[in-house]
Amino acid sequence: MAPFLETVKSFKDVPITDDGVNTVAFLEAGDGVVRMLKELTGLMSSVGSKSFSPVINDIQGNITKVRERSNAAPSQSATLELLVTNENNNKVGSATEGLMWLLRSLAFTGKSLQQAQNNPSEDLKVAFTKGYDVTLGPIHRGASFFSVQGAIMKAAGLMFNTAIGYCPPRKNFYEKLAANPNGEPCSQELLDKQLNDWITGLDTIITRMDTFYTKGKHGEIFKSA
């Protein structure tokens, strides 16, 4: 084995062509996010780990929705954009909504890690709170109490805020990412480069898909606070 970021697909390595974001590669990178968050929960108390589990399950569930659509219609799902377009043209499935929520959760993860990278002295809990406030926070807070969907969104907001409260110390998380089971841990310089490349690649995809969803009236990845 190797340091963590060398064992998962980086978003910087997800191909993007004129047709869009490669679906299979994107989902592989998404699987890496699930693994990363599991590493994070491994550093928490048992209560914290249980609190974060619904967040991970939500991401996994949306990855599954998109992957099932991709497997069911591979020729129409080579890119995320083609998958959404063809699903909507055929008026079948739930991958479009699943992908929207997956992108929102990935945006939360990416912005949180970007905040941590930009502020080396900042506690992880603070970084993830700030990441939440510019991604999922406005969506959850903007939901109405007077509908089933709104109540679900409010509950999701409470779930995320509770989970963030159990974030482990920053030092422990970064040591976990750098650790090499078969040798010396990777240097801070290398870890920073790998993580920054991962964040930049994800941000490129999120920005592209946000424009696609908005223009196509498929939904919105971000919501104004």
Side-chain angles (χ1 to χ4, degrees):
M1 294 181 69
F4 180 80
L5 289 174
E6 295 177 22
T7 68
V8 297
K9 190 170 194 67
S10 174
F11 285 103
K12 83 176 181 64
D13 296 324
V14 175
I16 301 176
T17 66
D18 290 342
D19 288 332
V21 180
N22 184 277
T23 300
V24 172
F26 170 79
L27 293 175
E28 287 177 3
D31 290 335
V33 174
V34 172
R35 284 187 53 200
M36 179 188 287
L37 293 178
K38 286 182 176 179
E39 293 288 341
L40 183 71
T41 61
L43 300 171
M44 297 177 181
S45 65
S46 59
V47 174
S49 179
K50 288 178 181 177
S51 296
F52 224 97
S53 290
V55 175
I56 295 174
N57 292 340
D58 182 66
I59 294 173
Q60 281 184 311
N62 287 318
I63 288 175
T64 297
K65 288 179 183 178
V66 180
R67 182 167 279 138
E68 286 179 346
R69 175 61 187 171
S70 176
N71 291 340
S75 64
Q76 300 176 343
S77 309
T79 67
L80 298 179
E81 290 90 335
L82 290 174
L83 182 151
V84 170
T85 299
N86 283 291
E87 182 180 71
N88 280 270
N89 286 344
N90 293 321
K91 302 187 186 321
V92 294
S94 59
T96 299
E97 183 178 13
L99 177 58
M100 179 181 69
W101 280 104
L102 174 58
L103 290 165
R104 288 171 171 177
S105 295
L106 294 179
F108 156 67
T109 306
K111 291 297 184 184
S112 298
L113 292 174
Q114 186 177 58
Q115 181 69 29
Q117 284 293 94
N118 291 343
N119 299 276
S121 63
E122 194 166 76
D123 193 60
L124 209 60
K125 186 188 303 183
V126 175
F128 271 73
T129 298
K130 290 180 178 178
Y132 175 80
D133 284 342
V134 297
T135 54
L136 288 167
I139 297 167
H140 293 155
R141 288 192 292 268
S144 169
F145 280 109
F146 304 107
S147 69
V148 174
Q149 183 63 24
I152 292 172
M153 298 267 268
K154 293 292 187 183
L158 178 61
M159 175 186 74
F160 270 85
N161 279 291
T162 301
I164 289 169
Y166 287 101
C167 278
R170 175 195 182 97
K171 178 176 179 290
N172 295 9
F173 179 59
Y174 273 77
E175 286 179 349
K176 188 74 171 177
L177 293 182
N180 181 356
N182 294 329
E184 293 293 317
C186 71
S187 67
Q188 186 63 49
E189 182 180 17
L190 178 58
L191 177 59
D192 283 340
K193 182 182 184 310
Q194 291 176 335
L195 191 51
N196 287 336
D197 286 345
W198 186 96
I199 292 168
T200 299
L202 174 58
D203 190 59
T204 297
I205 293 170
I206 296 292
T207 300
R208 179 187 179 99
M209 294 306 298
D210 181 46
T211 300
F212 172 78
Y213 263 72
T214 301
K215 288 180 67 174
K217 298 182 179 179
H218 303 300
E220 55 184 1
I221 309 307
F222 295 108
K223 188 178 183 68
S224 299

